[in-house]
Amino acid sequence: MINHQLTDGILKILLNRPEKKNAFTNAMYRELTQILSEGDQNPHVKVMLISGAGNAFSAGNDIADFMKSPITHEDAPPINLLKVLASLSKPLIAAVDGVAVGIGATLLFHCDLVYAQKDARFIFPFVSLGLVPEGAVSLLLPRLVGHQKASEILLFGEPISADDAQGIGFVNKVISESSALPYAEQRAKKLTALSSGSILRTKSLLKGSELKAAVLHQIDVEGRLFIDRLHSPAAKEALTAFLEKRAPNFEGLD
C-alpha cells in the first residue's frame, strides 16, 4: 500500500490506498517507517519525496483498523513513525493534493518543504475525536504561528485551506495546476544537483540538537496522553460516532 522508487537520487514514496483516501493502517505505519529509515541510510538517496495517490494525501488513521488495533504502548507503529520522521537527516519533501487529516497533516511538520495543490485542506481533528495532538504538533505549531492561532487550529479542528496554510508558513507554495507533485519533483531534482554535505549540515543546523531533543520528548509526552485519551469514554464515543456517521455526544463522559 506504499510504493517507493529511487530515481536519480530521489526516493519517491507514494501512499497508495486511494480507495480509502490513503488512510493509514498499522501495516502502513510499519512500512513507511522502514522505507524512511532505509532511505535515510542509503548513500544513493539525496532527497525523499512523499505524496498520496488519487485525490487525497492522507485521510489520517483508518478508524476501523485503528479501533481493532488501538495504540496501547509508546512503542506503537504510529509513534515509531513520528520519531523516525523527527530524526531524519536527509531532506523530506511533501506534495499534498486533497485532504491531509490527522497523521496526514502532523507528519508534514517533519517535512522540510511542503507544496500543496490549491484545493488541498489540512485538518487536525484530535479534540473533536476526544484525543490530543500527536507528532510534537503542540510544540511545533505554536512555535510557527503563536499560542492563540495554534489554540484555534487545534481546539476546533476546522479545515485550513492551502492559501491559509501558506500564509502561516506551513506550506512553501500553493500550486494552481491539478497536482502539486510535478512542481515538488522539480524542487527535489534541484536539490540533487547541490552539495549533499551542505544540505545535510544545513538541515541539521535548522533542526538543531536542542529542538530535535525537545520534539522527541514532546512526541513521548503527547503519546502517553494520546494513549490515555484513546481509552477514555469520550474517545470511544467519538470514534464510534465517526463509524456510525453521526455527531458524538460528550455529555457526562469527561
Side-chain angles (χ1 to χ4, degrees), residues 97-112:
D97 296 340
V99 293
V101 182
I103 184 70
T106 57
L107 74 81
L108 299 173
F109 278 92
H110 304 288
C111 295
D112 302 286

Side-chain angles (χ1 to χ4, degrees), residues 151-172:
S151 296
E152 183 177 51
I153 290 170
L154 294 179
L155 291 177
F156 292 108
E158 295 166 343
I160 303 169
S161 70
D163 286 335
D164 286 344
Q166 184 183 29
I168 63 175
F170 185 51
V171 163
N172 291 87

Side-chain angles (χ1 to χ4, degrees), residues 71-92:
I71 298 174
T72 57
H73 53 86
E74 293 168 45
D75 195 36
I79 298 176
N80 285 338
L81 171 61
L82 290 166
K83 288 181 177 179
V84 165
L85 283 163
S87 302
L88 293 175
S89 63
K90 293 178 180 176
L92 177 63

Side-chain angles (χ1 to χ4, degrees), residues 122-236:
F122 306 87
I123 307 172
F124 301 87
F126 304 105
V127 170
S128 64
L129 291 174
L131 302 170
V132 296
E134 64 191 4
V137 169
S138 59
L139 170 69
L140 295 172
L141 184 57
R143 187 171 179 265
L144 179 67
V145 302
H147 174 78
Q148 285 80 4
K149 187 63 178 177
S151 296
E152 183 177 51
I153 290 170
L154 294 179
L155 291 177
F156 292 108
E158 295 166 343
I160 303 169
S161 70
D163 286 335
D164 286 344
Q166 184 183 29
I168 63 175
F170 185 51
V171 163
N172 291 87
K173 186 178 178 66
V174 176
I175 309 302
S176 59
E177 284 75 16
S178 60
S179 173
L181 184 57
Y183 184 83
E185 288 175 334
Q186 290 176 23
R187 300 304 277 174
K189 185 176 180 181
K190 188 166 185 176
L191 281 181
T192 64
L194 301 175
S195 163
S196 292
S198 291
I199 288 172
L200 292 175
R201 286 163 178 81
T202 299
K203 172 165 179 168
S204 178
L205 288 168
L206 286 167
K207 294 288 185 178
S209 58
E210 290 185 7
L211 176 59
K212 181 179 176 180
V215 166
L216 290 171
H217 173 72
Q218 195 74 354
I219 289 173
D220 281 335
V221 171
E222 289 175 346
R224 289 192 290 271
L225 289 172
F226 192 100
I227 291 168
D228 179 66
R229 290 301 301 166
L230 185 60
H231 295 89
S232 70
K236 291 176 181 177

Side-chain angles (χ1 to χ4, degrees), residues 7-114:
T7 306
D8 298 327
I10 304 171
L11 180 61
K12 297 179 181 179
I13 303 167
L14 180 68
L15 307 177
N16 192 18
R17 198 184 178 213
E19 72 281 3
K20 294 290 186 179
K21 295 186 181 295
N22 305 315
F24 277 89
T25 62
N26 271 299
M28 289 173 68
Y29 280 119
R30 294 188 185 93
E31 191 175 2
L32 183 56
T33 300
Q34 182 177 351
I35 291 168
L36 290 169
S37 298
E38 292 178 354
D40 209 41
Q41 297 299 316
N42 186 340
H44 300 292
V45 174
K46 291 189 173 183
V47 58
M48 294 182 277
L49 171 60
I50 187 168
S51 62
N55 61 356
F57 180 72
S58 173
N61 277 307
D62 182 312
I63 298 297
D65 181 81
F66 194 58
M67 291 184 74
K68 278 189 258 179
S69 305
I71 298 174
T72 57
H73 53 86
E74 293 168 45
D75 195 36
I79 298 176
N80 285 338
L81 171 61
L82 290 166
K83 288 181 177 179
V84 165
L85 283 163
S87 302
L88 293 175
S89 63
K90 293 178 180 176
L92 177 63
I93 300 176
V96 181
D97 296 340
V99 293
V101 182
I103 184 70
T106 57
L107 74 81
L108 299 173
F109 278 92
H110 304 288
C111 295
D112 302 286
L113 298 162
V114 179

